[in-house]
Amino acid sequence: MRVIYIAGTSHSGSTLLDLMLNAHPAIFSAGEVLKLNRQLGINHPRKQTSVPCSCGAPSLWQCPVWSRVDTRTRETAGKSLTDLDMLDYGETGAAQAPNAVVFKAIAEVTGKAFVVDSSKLPKRLAYLMRLPELDVYPVHIVRDPKGQINSVTRKHGGFLQHIFRYELIHEQIRRTLKSVPHSVVHYEDLVRDPAATLASILQPLGLTFDPRQLAWAEAEKHEVAGNHVRFDAKSELVLDEGWKKSLSPLRQRAIDLGTLLSRQTLPKTGAVR
């Protein structure tokens, strides 16, 4: 199973990239797979029922794709999606590892050559790369730290901890991918020049950019979790630079100083090794 894994921080444009990759005819995006159990309404104290699928189905259980994936895991592994924990990062050598079972079922149900997991977290990326059943190609998405930190602060509050987390996450990803073929994509490049940016990701995979990727909102979607963009009906690209008005000069300076390492070491958009 060939998996494209989107790694990065929250509020960095990962859902948008996920949707644009999904619009390619050879790619199916499963969204943030690490949240699959939560989205199914399983083992989550605040959610007793499944949430709507981005295809419009009232729940993942009623989605024509995810219901078939559940049927397929029952057939191949004797387990429902309710029995397969996506946060189980234990045994890597077993063919019945929950994540391997689910990715295999997704690939078989959709018939696509690649499956996207936009879970972002470096710990999950490192685990998936150790599964012999998976061929993982990482895509490291990066956003200007002032934009990312301003966005996450507006939603969750705080400030300094988000600067620390920005550096921590990107450093963990850099270490994980040090000797692994991967692509780096900057959110700002994706919005300003989506065709060239997507082409830079697809080329190492043996794929070419498809114009339908610019009409990503019109494609059939079944992403797990992600932001509200996955429900949009129009394929609009608007560069979010609200930080230029929201952040005081003092906070901008604090972010510049706190993220100096990332800004100096992260390469520009394009395939890297």
Side-chain angles (χ1 to χ4, degrees), residues 47-58:
K47 293 180 179 178
Q48 299 302 316
T49 58
S50 175
V51 298
C53 181
S54 52
C55 72

Side-chain angles (χ1 to χ4, degrees), residues 138-164:
V139 177
H140 185 180
I141 189 165
V142 183
R143 184 179 180 182
D144 183 311
K146 291 190 282 290
Q148 190 275 335
I149 292 167
N150 180 61
S151 179
V152 73
T153 298
R154 286 204 315 264
K155 183 173 182 179
H156 299 291
F159 179 66
L160 293 178
Q161 68 264 41
H162 299 308
I163 298 177
F164 173 76

Side-chain angles (χ1 to χ4, degrees), residues 5-6 30 48 59 63-64 70 73 75 116 118 120 155 162 202 212 216 265:
Y5 188 92
I6 300 176
Q48 299 302 316
S59 74
C63 165
D70 180 64
T73 63
E75 294 170 346
V116 177
S118 57
K120 297 185 288 295
K155 183 173 182 179
H162 299 308
L202 298 169
R212 284 172 286 187
W216 45 268
T265 56

Side-chain angles (χ1 to χ4, degrees), residues 101-113:
V101 170
V102 170
F103 278 112
K104 181 179 180 181
I106 293 171
E108 291 174 346
V109 165
T110 63
K112 301 292 179 129

Side-chain angles (χ1 to χ4, degrees), residues 6 10 13 53 65 75 84 109 118 121 124-125 139 143 151 153 156 168-169 173 188 200-201 205 226 260:
I6 300 176
S10 62
C53 181
V65 169
E75 294 170 346
L84 295 164
V109 165
S118 57
L121 294 183
R124 178 172 177 79
L125 168 62
V139 177
R143 184 179 180 182
S151 179
T153 298
H156 299 291
L168 176 64
I169 292 294
I173 295 171
E188 293 78 11
S200 74
I201 300 171
L205 300 171
L260 184 62

